């Protein structure tokens, strides 16, 4: 009987040690669980921030895309307007009227024909040794030569 009591005491002590070990293990698991839950809460908060940032970036991207498209359309209109050929009438309209004198625009002086101009031209003198370029009788003073 003593032997049985000693075996029972030893079994109770082993159960007590095992129970204490389980309590410590449970405390560790509870601590790890709490830390995991806190980390999950932080991660969820970060995920929500990322989602909000993505939504805002999508809105800003849409706004910028709309502005870019509007700018491209405006540029295309400007280029189209600039590259359109100016419409010239098929035949120039000739007015039988005399030109009207405008104070800002001087009228061209009538020119004599080349034969008449040479006949009336005095001989060159030593004071003016420059040769002058012969001009077409139809050229206007402001026209490109």
């Amino acid at each position: 009987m003593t032997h049985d009591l000693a075996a029972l005491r030893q079994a109770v002590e082993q159960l007590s040690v095992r129970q204490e070990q389980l309590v410590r293990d449970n405390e560790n698991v509870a601590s790890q669980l709490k830390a995991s839950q806190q980390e999950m809460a932080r991660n969820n908060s970060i995920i929500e921030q990322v989602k909000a940032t993505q939504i805002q970036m999508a809105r800003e991207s849409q706004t910028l895309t709309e502005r870019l498209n509007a700018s491209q359309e405006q540029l295309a209109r400007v280029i189209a307007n600039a590259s359109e050929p100016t419409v010239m009438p098929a035949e120039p309209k000739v007015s039988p009227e005399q030109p009207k004198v405008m104070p800002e625009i001087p009228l061209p002086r009538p020119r004599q024909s080349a034969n008449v101009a040479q006949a009336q031209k005095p001989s060159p003198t030593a004071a003016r040794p420059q040769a002058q370029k012969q001009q077409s009788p139809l050229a206007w003073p402001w026209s490109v030569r």
Side-chain angles (χ1 to χ4, degrees), residues 31-96:
S31 174
Q32 289 175 353
L33 179 62
K34 186 176 180 181
S36 294
Q37 287 174 335
Q38 289 173 347
E39 186 175 351
M40 281 177 37
R42 284 192 303 271
N43 289 343
N44 287 340
S45 173
I46 291 170
I47 288 170
E48 292 302 316
Q49 289 174 354
V50 168
K51 285 180 182 178
T53 302
Q54 285 177 329
I55 290 169
Q56 183 170 351
M57 288 175 64
R59 286 182 190 143
E60 290 174 0
S61 176
Q62 180 67 28
T63 301
L64 289 174
T65 301
E66 290 169 359
R67 288 175 59 192
L68 177 62
N69 289 341
S71 295
Q72 287 177 336
E73 289 172 6
Q74 183 180 12
L75 182 60
R77 284 192 305 270
V78 168
I79 290 172
N81 289 339
S83 65
E84 286 180 1
T86 55
V87 178
M88 299 294 286
E91 295 181 17
K93 295 181 181 178
V94 179
S95 174

